[in-house]
Amino acid sequence: YPDKASSQPKQNPTYQWYETYNGTKSEFSTAIAPLNNHQFNQAGTYTYELTVTNGNAQCEATSNSVTVEVAPIPQFSVNATPNKICLGEPDGTKLQITMATSLAESVTETKWTLNDSPVTGTMTQEVAGSNTIYSLPVHPSTAGNLTYTAHVTAVCTDTKSVQVQVDEAPTTGIQDYNVCKDGTVMLM
């Protein structure tokens, strides 16, 4: 007697991925494992299972569930006061950069760069509600734009930048004159 199982045409297995998010399980994908480049648009806990059915739909196997924890990206903004300064500001001039975040309690690290290099000099910070105010030293040596960038980590890291415009200091052109009594001079 011929074996009935061997007389059936062999069919390719099928794959079904299931995703559970916020307690709702749904069919996710029919791609063959592995799933590459899956992008998560919401923070939270995701659980995945894979069910493989043989081509004759007689047998199936379900994987153990895999959990993926997706951490939120820090949400924050930065602004500078003043956002325009003059070249040759006196030593001790401070630029205040305010960072507003809804994750202040979970921020584990904040690094500042100036034009892609670490900020040097004494920097202070003060927390005021959901804002952190950083006072940074300003010593521009040329006119142009200074780009201050905050690198904020709360499990995940994000960056935001603020530009400060540095203008040439105006000159007066006034000079000393020697004149005789009752003489005149034009000051410009």
Side-chain angles (χ1 to χ4, degrees):
Y1 296 100
D3 182 2
K4 289 184 182 181
S6 64
S7 66
Q8 295 179 355
K10 186 173 181 180
Q11 297 178 6
N12 292 329
T14 60
Y15 300 86
Q16 181 61 61
W17 286 93
Y18 295 93
E19 175 184 75
T20 303
Y21 176 69
N22 283 340
T24 303
K25 184 175 183 176
S26 58
E27 291 183 354
F28 176 68
S29 173
T30 57
I32 297 173
L35 289 176
N36 291 326
N37 301 320
H38 177 55
Q39 182 173 353
F40 295 93
N41 297 319
Q42 298 289 327
T45 301
Y46 294 79
T47 305
Y48 295 92
E49 293 177 343
L50 172 63
T51 299
V52 180
T53 306
N54 73 355
N56 298 325
Q58 294 174 349
C59 301
E60 72 178 27
T62 300
S63 69
N64 293 330
S65 62
V66 175
T67 301
V68 177
E69 292 287 338
V70 180
I73 294 174
Q75 299 296 312
F76 66 100
S77 61
V78 293
N79 64 57
T81 305
N83 62 359
K84 292 181 180 183
I85 59 175
C86 290
L87 191 60
E89 290 284 344
D91 282 346
T93 299
K94 298 282 186 182
L95 173 69
Q96 287 196 331
I97 299 181
T98 302
M99 181 177 72
T101 179
S102 60
L103 296 172
E105 66 283 348
S106 63
V107 170
T108 57
E109 181 178 52
T110 302
K111 291 183 180 178
W112 286 95
T113 57
L114 170 59
N115 296 337
D116 297 324
S117 296
V119 171
T120 58
T122 303
M123 175 176 43
T124 61
Q125 72 182 51
E126 170 188 337
V127 176
S130 63
N131 293 331
T132 304
I133 301 167
Y134 294 87
S135 293
L136 295 94
V138 179
H139 303 290
S141 57
T142 59
N145 287 322
L146 301 175
T147 302
Y148 287 88
T149 303
H151 305 262
V152 177
T153 302
V155 179
C156 297
T157 300
D158 197 14
T159 60
K160 299 273 192 295
S161 297
V162 62
Q163 285 200 337
V164 177
Q165 181 179 327
V166 180
D167 293 325
E168 293 281 344
T171 58
T172 61
I174 291 182
Q175 60 185 12
D176 290 335
Y177 293 96
N178 291 321
V179 293
C180 295
K181 184 179 179 298
D182 297 328
T184 61
V185 70
M186 183 188 318
L187 298 174
M188 331 189 206

